[in-house]
Amino acid sequence: MPGSSCGSDGEHELQDRYGTQDRAERFYQDQVLDRLNPTMIEFIARMDMAFIATADKHGECDASFRAGLPGFLHVIDERTIAYPEYRGNGVMASLGNILENPHVGILLIDFVQDLIGLHINGSARIVDDPALRRTVPELPQSVKGRAAERWVVVEVEEAYIHCRKHIPHLVPAAQEQREWGTDNVRAKGGDYFGAKAQANGEVLVPR
């Protein structure tokens, strides 16, 4: 990397089938890195959300959302990043997948300022908060309702741009008061999609 060593067998098969080899090769050559460069590191430092893709050992996929204060996704060095896992619903779908299959994909998108995205693919491991802080003392400090129980440490294998062509321009709203870390069902969104009501045999009324 960069070059034709990038991409999956499926990518290359479809590039051959649809005649996009030259375009794909230019993208691999020009845009795909095996580490974070300084501009990527600065970009990560100001992001307050990330989309995380994982799959279990059978290839069953899950996509999840993570958010925090800017810098919550911490760059340890040009080849290593870490993001916190806060107290959640106890399911641990993403972490369970990582336990079986360490390959993860992270997508960061700036919807507000530059309208650009960054893909980071790599191999992940789960590290408890005290253990990681012993070796990485500059990790972001915990704040009320956002105390990291553990971290996902990702060894970067690919980092590349997500083009701005279809990224919507969003204007941030004023921050409303949130109960971070709450167990209050209503504050967390309640049964918004009616799944619990449906399981209990209740009649669902569309919103």
Side-chain angles (χ1 to χ4, degrees):
M1 193 185 310
S4 57
S5 62
C6 297
S8 67
D9 291 343
E11 285 180 39
H12 294 293
E13 179 177 337
L14 291 179
Q15 290 161 16
D16 291 342
R17 183 183 304 177
Y18 298 121
T20 66
Q21 305 98 319
D22 291 343
R23 272 190 291 145
E25 189 59 33
R26 283 196 301 273
F27 183 83
Y28 293 147
Q29 186 69 38
D30 295 344
Q31 296 295 340
V32 181
L33 304 179
D34 63 355
R35 68 192 72 189
L36 303 171
N37 68 20
T39 304
M40 292 173 175
I41 292 172
E42 183 278 329
F43 182 86
I44 293 167
R46 59 185 173 84
M47 292 297 100
D48 59 3
M49 68 178 78
F51 302 91
I52 312 293
T54 61
D56 66 16
K57 63 185 177 184
H58 303 293
E60 299 290 337
C61 298
D62 181 77
S64 193
F65 176 74
R66 295 291 183 271
L69 298 174
F72 82 103
L73 200 159
H74 181 73
V75 177
I76 297 174
D77 57 47
E78 65 180 5
R79 294 183 179 273
T80 318
I81 62 175
Y83 66 85
E85 285 287 330
Y86 307 123
R87 184 175 182 274
N89 58 17
V91 174
M92 300 191 183
S94 297
L95 293 181
N97 285 347
I98 289 169
L99 194 63
E100 296 184 14
N101 174 0
H103 299 291
V104 300
I106 301 172
L107 175 59
L108 304 167
I109 298 182
D110 177 357
F111 293 101
V112 176
Q113 181 176 316
D114 294 328
L115 304 185
I116 206 73
L118 174 65
H119 291 266
I120 302 171
N121 298 328
S123 180
R125 56 191 171 92
I126 304 164
V127 183
D128 286 338
D129 181 70
L132 190 60
R133 288 188 186 279
R134 284 195 291 271
T135 57
V136 188
E138 67 274 15
L139 286 174
Q141 294 300 311
S142 296
V143 297
K144 183 179 178 181
R146 290 178 173 176
E149 295 184 338
R150 54 196 61 86
W151 293 78
V152 175
V153 179
V154 180
E155 303 299 325
V156 177
E157 296 170 359
E158 292 182 331
Y160 57 92
I161 193 171
H162 186 99
C163 80
R164 63 166 47 97
K165 186 164 57 174
H166 299 298
I167 295 177
H169 187 186
L170 305 182
V171 178
Q175 289 279 352
E176 74 273 26
Q177 187 63 36
R178 293 285 188 92
E179 297 183 57
W180 300 112
T182 182
D183 279 328
N184 181 288
V185 173
R186 185 178 182 84
K188 293 195 296 183
D191 190 26
Y192 182 90
F193 292 105
K196 182 178 180 180
Q198 185 173 346
N200 292 336
E202 300 174 22
V203 177
L204 300 179
V205 179
R207 292 180 179 274

